[in-house]
Amino acid sequence: MSVLDLPSTREEAWRWADLGALSAAAALAPVARAEASFLDLPGAKLLFVDGVLDEGASDLHRVTVGEVPAGDHPLGRRATRGWTLRLDARAVADPVQVLHVATGAENHVAAAIELADEASARVVETFVGAGWSNRATRVTLGRSARLMRAVRMTQGAGFVSTRDDIELGEGASVVSTVLAAGGQGVRIDAALTLAGEGAYAEYGGALLTRDTVRQECAVRVRHARPDGQSHQLWRAVAADRSQASLAAAVEVARHAQKTDGEQSLRGLLLDRTATVNLKPELEIFADDVKCAHGATVGELDARALFYMASRGIPAARAKALLTRAFVADALERIGEEAVRDAFMADADAWLEAALSSPGSLGEGDHAAGMVEG
């Protein structure tokens, strides 16, 4: 253990974690406050600077701020204060926006989202700045409750770690999409339990890495009751000497018959010095289920590039179009158009910078088709 009491990379769940980058981010010297603004949406707006709510720049609406029960996750248990959204039965809330600004100080925030039967909520979170931003979110969804959540990580430096614990009741649904497109290291950690019959969960997103940055996600979905559906769709794009790692697991309990579980993990290498690690995992104890997983890693499709060149599309433009389509596959799950457009703008800015770097599949480089991994 380090002085930060971090887990060990000898543990399977943390094998790809860049704990060195996390420690360095925690020791980062203070930096100037980054400029950031909320999206043009109605509803609550919360601005946290180094884990502290800026009351003057925030509008809480139905959200409360205060103590939040801590969990037992190695990183998430550090967060004991934050925000809570509780909705009564059949209540519908305007979007909740949470803007996290890091300037290098200690920065831990907890959150609790509790939706009663048939309640509905939307949450958008954004990370900017530099330093270690650590978040723990607990979600409890009652019968037929619905949550849509979008998280974008665009810090210029440092590290963002998130832990989500999500429990779904009967017929409840959650759709959560994450975009990591900054210069920070990332650890996305989630445990979803479909505790009610007929629950539905989508959890996925895109990791975009360049330079020597390492990002990873580790998500486990547990089907505890019959007729549940889960979909994990992740896309990773790695450039330079960076590394993106995706570990997605589905566990089906013995009595969780009629389960439908799907995993789609795909990685795209913009440079052969980059690395994408994929680890799909199925643990099935029931006998009447439909579960599948796919994992591919490769470079841009040479045939598609040749076809586009034959139609007069410049090579750089062709690469950008193909890569954008690859990433958009994960972000189109975002239901709110304004939010989806903001996420795609962040991805476009990252792609423009990555594809313009000298080593990223230049004119003379070979581009292979996607290879099964």
Side-chain angles (χ1 to χ4, degrees):
M1 294 291 184
S2 73
V3 294
L4 283 176
D5 193 26
L6 299 176
S8 170
T9 53
R10 295 178 181 177
E11 301 174 42
E12 180 62 24
W14 296 84
R15 60 181 294 191
W16 291 315
D18 192 359
L19 299 178
L22 189 158
S23 298
L28 189 70
V31 299
R33 178 167 162 174
E35 293 295 327
S37 59
F38 294 102
L39 299 178
D40 186 16
L41 298 172
K45 296 176 176 62
L46 285 70
L47 173 61
F48 285 93
V49 180
D50 293 328
V52 178
L53 181 72
D54 184 336
E55 297 183 7
S58 300
D59 186 356
L60 298 183
H61 282 237
R62 301 188 185 190
V63 176
T64 59
V65 174
E67 298 293 328
V68 177
D72 58 0
H73 186 263
L75 302 181
R77 66 190 177 198
R78 296 172 176 272
T80 58
R81 287 186 58 82
W83 59 275
T84 299
L85 173 65
R86 290 190 178 94
L87 294 184
D88 296 331
R90 293 178 294 281
V92 178
D94 286 330
V96 175
Q97 292 190 70
V98 187
L99 179 54
H100 302 282
V101 179
T103 70
E106 187 162 333
N107 188 350
H108 308 282
V109 175
I113 302 172
E114 301 173 3
L115 307 186
D117 296 351
E118 300 182 34
S120 177
R122 291 166 288 168
V123 176
V124 181
E125 295 188 65
T126 301
F127 291 82
V128 299
W132 178 26
S133 299
N134 183 41
R135 302 294 178 264
T137 303
R138 176 172 49 83
V139 178
T140 306
L141 303 181
R143 177 177 52 82
S144 299
R146 302 180 304 279
L147 173 66
M148 296 193 70
R149 184 162 170 249
V151 181
R152 57 176 176 164
M153 304 173 179
T154 57
Q155 284 192 189
F159 200 94
V160 175
S161 58
T162 63
R163 168 65 178 187
D164 293 341
D165 288 286
I166 303 174
E167 182 172 309
L168 293 84
E170 178 184 352
S173 66
V174 61
V175 177
S176 184
T177 305
V178 181
L179 171 65
Q184 78 276 284
V186 168
R187 163 79 181 193
I188 300 163
D189 199 321
L192 291 79
T193 301
L194 279 65
E197 190 169 338
Y200 178 89
E202 281 192 27
Y203 199 103
L207 305 183
L208 311 181
T209 63
R210 56 180 304 201
D211 299 325
T212 58
V213 168
R214 290 165 59 184
Q215 298 178 351
E216 67 159 340
C217 77
V219 180
R220 175 169 288 270
V221 177
R222 182 174 186 270
H223 289 264
R225 299 291 295 168
D227 295 310
Q229 291 188 53
S230 67
H231 302 274
Q232 298 182 67
L233 187 149
W234 288 95
R235 299 293 180 258
V237 181
D240 305 318
R241 296 183 179 276
S242 65
Q243 175 177 296
S245 302
L246 304 171
V250 171
E251 177 186 337
V252 182
R254 189 173 304 278
H255 53 275
Q257 305 293 345
K258 305 294 184 181
T259 285
D260 183 352
E262 179 189 19
Q263 299 165 309
S264 174
L265 312 179
R266 299 182 66 191
L268 178 62
L269 300 174
L270 297 184
D271 297 289
R272 294 185 175 180
T273 51
T275 301
V276 173
N277 300 308
L278 306 180
K279 184 189 176 188
E281 184 178 353
L282 297 174
E283 297 181 14
I284 303 173
F285 300 97
D287 54 16
D288 186 7
V289 302
K290 183 173 69 173
C291 292
H293 65 73
T296 63
V297 179
E299 298 172 332
L300 291 172
D301 192 330
R303 291 169 298 181
L305 289 172
F306 177 80
Y307 174 82
M308 297 174 80
S310 70
R311 295 298 183 269
I313 300 175
R317 177 64 174 163
K319 294 166 189 172
L321 289 172
L322 291 176
T323 308
R324 189 181 196 276
F326 180 82
V327 175
D329 192 30
L331 301 184
E332 65 183 11
R333 269 70 179 169
I334 301 173
E336 192 99 27
E337 184 178 1
V339 178
R340 185 172 61 251
D341 289 346
F343 276 55
M344 282 307 308
D346 290 332
D348 286 342
W350 185 94
L351 291 171
E352 182 179 0
L355 291 171
S356 63
S357 63
S360 296
L361 290 176
E363 293 286 346
D365 290 334
H366 173 71
M370 297 298 288
V371 181
E372 292 292 333

